[in-house]
Amino acid sequence: MMATGDTWRFYGPEAILIEFGGGKATALRRVASACQAISSHPPNGLRDYVPGFSKLLLIFEPSLRRQLPSRAAEIVNTIISRRTPRIFKPRLHELEVVYDGPDLEFVCEKTGLNLERLIALHSRPLYTVGMLGFSPGFPYLTPLDRRLHLGRRDVPRKWIEPGSVAIGGPHTGIYSIASPGGWHLLGRTNAALFVPENLPEEMFLLAPGDKVRLRPVNEFSISPSASSQK
Amino acid sequence: MTRLALVRIEAVGAGLSLQDRGRRGWLRFGVPPSGAMDSQAALYANRLLQNPPAAPVLELYRLGARLRFLAPALIALAGASVFHSLPSWRTHRVCKEQVLSASEEGPGVWTYLAIPGGFETPTWLGSASENPRAGFSSHLTAGDILFAQENPDPHLPGIGNRFSSPDAYADYQRPPLLRVHAGPQASLFSRSARKLFFETEWKVSADSDRCGYRLDGALVEAPGMEIESEPVLVGSIQIPPGGQPLVTMPDGPTVGGYHKIGVVDPEDLFWLAQSKPGHVIKFRPAEEAPSPSR
C-alpha cells in the first residue's frame, strides 16, 4: 500500500520517480526497504535504479516504454508494499577523521561554535548513507546537526583531495576522488571510498543505507582496512 | 579467438574513446552510465556488421583523429561523416597501411567506427565505455594500438558494400523539435519561464562535454525554493540559479540539486548530442502533440 504522503511521477517515458512521505527519517528507511525489495525481486524490464534521501528513481529498458503508462502504478505499489525481512541489518563503518581542514575557521565563525564543539557536533551522529553520487562512491551522510547547515562556498575549489570530509547544506560527505567542489572542508579520512582497480564487489567502501561513524583522531592508526566492520 | 593488432592511433584529435552501450547496475554507487553519446549511430554501425548491439566501437569527437590500419578490414561508419570519400551509414573495405583522417567538416559532431565483432577492450563494471573521471580509462594516445577480437576482414557475401536505408540515418542539419517531458520540478517554474524555454532557439555552448551540454540563447528563471539533491536522469534539463540550462549527458553526475524543468525524450537526445555549437535546437512539450513521423 502507498503510505500517506507517498507520490510518484513519470520522469520521461522510461523512468519513474517515487517520493516517500512520512518525514525524513521514515522516508530514508522506506527508500532502503524499497531497494531491498528491488534487489530481491527486480521488476521486469528494470534497467537501473538510484535511491535518494526520500526518493527512488527507477529506470526501465526502452522496450518497456509503450507499456509503462499502464503498468507503472502496479510496479510502484509492488515495490513499496513488499515487506522486507526484519533481520535486515545495515553495515556499520567506523572512519577515522583528522579534523585539520582549511575551512574550520570559517565554519566556526559562521556558526559561532568553537572548534571543540564543532568537532563534537560533527562526529556525534550515527550517520546513514542517504545516497551516493556527485562522484563514484561519494556518500551524502545524514542527519547533520542543524547548527552545521551552511550554504556552499561562493567560489568552489578547483581541486579537492580524495578523503576530504566536508559539509554542504544539510549534509556531510566525503570526497571519493580528486575533483572540484563547493563544500566546506573540515578534515580528512584515510579510508579509501572508491578504488577503481579493485574487483567490482570491493570497489566501493559504502553502499546506500550503510551506517557511518566518524571518529576524531589526532593521527590515523596504521591500517585503513581495519576501519570497516560487519 | 584471434587477437589482431588492427589500428594504430596516429593522432587522437578532439576526442577519441572506446564506447559501448554503457554500464548498468552501478548508478546507486554514483557511477554514471556512460556509453556512446549518439547511441543510435553506434547501434547502426554495429548493425551494419551484424555485430551484437553492445560490441565496443570507436567514438570520435569532431576532427583531428588519424587512424592507420595495420591489416585489411571491413569497417562500418555512422554518425558525422568526417573521413574523406568514406561516408557514414555504410560499410567500407580498408586496406593495410591505409590512413583514415577525420578531416572533413560535415553535420554532426560524433562519429562511430565499428569492426566485425567489436574492438577488444578492457571493461570496467561490465562496460568498455571509458570514464576518465571515475578512473575507468584506457587513455587512448598517439601510438596506441587497437585490437580486433575477431577476423576483421571476413568474407561475408554482400556485406562489403552494405548501407543503411535512407530513412535509417539522421540528417543532423535538420533536427526536429525535440520532445521534452515534464521534469520533477517542472511545476515549480513560472509560466513565463516555461514559455521562454519552449520558445527559445537554443544553441549548444562550446562549454559542453560528455558530462553535460550547456545551452545558449536565454536565461530561464529558476524557482526560488532550494531542493534537496536527488537522483538525476540522463537527458534532464537542469536550470542552475544562473539560468543557463544544463542538459545531463551520459558521463554526467547521477544526483544533483538543480531544478529540472524537463527531460529530453531518450529517443531524441542524440539530436542534441550531435548538434554543433552554433546550430539551432528547439524543444516542444512531448505531451502536446503526436510524435512527428521521421
Side-chain angles (χ1 to χ4, degrees):
Chain A
M1 288 288 290
M2 305 252 307
T4 323
D6 290 351
T7 55
W8 64 271
R9 57 162 68 237
F10 289 104
Y11 187 166
E14 298 170 9
I16 292 171
L17 186 66
I18 307 174
E19 183 163 7
F20 292 89
K24 284 195 173 198
T26 309
L28 191 64
R29 211 162 42 235
R30 297 186 59 227
V31 171
S33 53
C35 288
Q36 286 284 108
I38 290 172
S39 67
S40 56
H41 297 90
N44 277 340
L46 185 72
R47 183 173 167 80
D48 213 334
Y49 64 100
V50 195
F53 296 100
S54 58
K55 294 181 184 149
L56 179 60
L57 171 61
L58 306 174
I59 305 168
F60 294 88
E61 295 292 348
S63 57
L64 230 74
R65 177 183 170 117
R66 308 282 167 226
Q67 308 165 37
L68 204 56
S70 58
R71 287 195 46 205
E74 179 205 327
I75 291 172
V76 171
N77 277 320
T78 310
I79 288 171
I80 68 181
S81 68
R82 194 171 277 134
R83 275 170 297 157
T84 48
R86 289 215 185 87
I87 51 166
F88 167 65
K89 202 175 151 217
R91 296 185 303 171
L92 171 68
H93 309 264
E94 189 171 288
L95 310 184
E96 294 184 341
V97 177
V98 174
Y99 284 89
D100 62 356
D103 295 330
L104 285 174
E105 202 177 321
F106 174 85
V107 173
C108 284
E109 193 178 306
K110 276 279 174 192
T111 57
L113 301 163
N114 65 29
L115 185 59
E116 200 180 332
R117 188 86 180 115
L118 166 64
I119 294 171
L121 289 179
H122 186 256
S123 58
R124 190 167 60 187
L126 176 60
Y127 289 113
T128 301
V129 178
M131 63 180 187
L132 295 157
F134 174 68
S135 299
F138 179 107
Y140 288 73
L141 302 173
T142 186
L144 177 67
D145 191 286
R146 280 203 166 276
R147 285 160 280 189
L148 300 180
H149 293 193
L150 286 182
R152 290 149 171 259
R153 283 166 56 86
D154 292 339
V155 182
R157 286 192 170 83
K158 289 214 163 68
W159 198 83
I160 290 174
E161 185 93 28
S164 296
V165 176
I167 56 173
H171 307 299
T172 185
I174 307 170
Y175 285 87
S176 54
I177 58 174
S179 71
W183 288 16
H184 306 279
L185 307 182
L186 303 186
R188 59 203 157 85
T189 176
N190 61 349
L193 299 184
F194 172 56
V195 186
E197 295 77 22
N198 279 359
L199 291 171
E201 57 271 26
E202 291 164 1
M203 207 176 273
F204 303 93
L205 179 64
L206 305 174
D210 283 3
K211 302 289 180 186
V212 174
R213 199 174 280 291
L214 302 176
R215 194 156 66 82
V217 293
N218 291 323
E219 55 188 84
F220 298 120
S221 53
I222 294 155
S223 163
S225 58
S227 65
S228 183
Q229 44 184 273
K230 277 210 180 129
Chain B
M1 213 183 269
T2 27
R3 181 180 192 260
L4 183 101
L6 184 61
V7 173
R8 186 164 67 233
I9 298 168
E10 296 196 334
V12 293
L16 189 65
S17 68
L18 289 158
Q19 295 289 341
D20 57 18
R21 302 178 88 191
R23 49 188 61 82
R24 49 182 288 179
W26 299 94
L27 292 180
R28 66 185 182 279
F29 292 97
V31 180
S34 297
M37 287 290 280
D38 180 345
S39 53
Q40 317 236 1
L43 187 63
Y44 266 108
N46 274 328
R47 199 176 276 171
L48 283 166
L49 295 175
Q50 297 170 358
N51 283 345
V57 298
L58 193 59
E59 179 185 88
L60 290 80
Y61 177 65
R62 305 199 74 167
L63 306 180
R66 214 162 55 243
L67 311 168
R68 179 179 296 272
F69 277 76
L70 307 176
L74 180 64
I75 63 167
L77 295 173
S81 288
V82 288
F83 298 114
H84 177 68
S85 78
L86 299 176
S88 283
W89 311 107
R90 55 164 297 165
T91 60
H92 300 278
R93 288 211 177 267
V94 180
C95 317
K96 186 177 174 177
E97 293 305 321
Q98 187 171 343
V99 175
L100 270 57
S101 292
S103 57
E104 298 216 333
E105 188 90 35
V109 295
W110 301 98
T111 303
Y112 295 88
L113 188 161
I115 61 169
F119 286 95
E120 190 197 73
T121 69
T123 59
W124 302 271
L125 301 177
S127 166
S129 289
E130 295 189 19
N131 185 335
R133 190 167 174 260
F136 305 151
S137 175
S138 353
H139 294 293
L140 294 184
T141 50
D144 283 354
I145 305 284
L146 301 177
F147 292 87
Q149 297 188 33
E150 294 173 9
N151 174 10
D153 193 18
H155 290 283
L156 298 175
I159 207 171
N161 54 357
R162 187 186 277 211
F163 51 88
S164 307
S165 63
D167 62 335
Y169 67 84
D171 178 358
Y172 302 126
Q173 243 161 347
R174 290 184 195 79
L177 298 180
L178 307 193
R179 290 167 292 173
V180 167
H181 302 262
Q185 290 82 34
S187 60
L188 299 180
F189 285 83
S190 66
R191 273 177 67 100
S192 59
R194 281 179 53 81
K195 191 160 173 279
L196 176 66
F197 176 77
F198 285 110
E199 283 177 354
T200 299
E201 298 197 328
W202 297 101
K203 292 171 180 173
V204 173
S205 153
D207 185 18
S208 296
D209 57 22
R210 288 190 46 97
C211 295
Y213 272 31
R214 285 173 208 282
L215 305 179
D216 290 329
L219 297 178
V220 178
E221 193 191 344
M225 193 181 99
E226 281 196 15
I227 57 162
E228 186 165 55
S229 288
E230 64 175 23
V232 174
L233 190 63
V234 169
S236 292
I237 303 159
Q238 308 187 73
I239 309 293
Q244 183 182 28
L246 169 63
V247 184
T248 306
M249 296 308 265
D251 284 357
T254 55
V255 302
Y258 295 142
H259 293 91
K260 294 164 285 290
I261 194 170
V263 54
V264 180
D265 193 296
E267 291 177 355
D268 289 357
L269 191 60
F270 77 93
W271 291 105
L272 179 66
Q274 289 282 14
S275 184
K276 271 197 173 142
H279 278 201
V280 169
I281 284 278
K282 281 196 78 176
F283 300 101
R284 70 175 178 87
E287 292 82 5
E288 273 177 18
S291 157
S293 57
R294 35 158 238 269

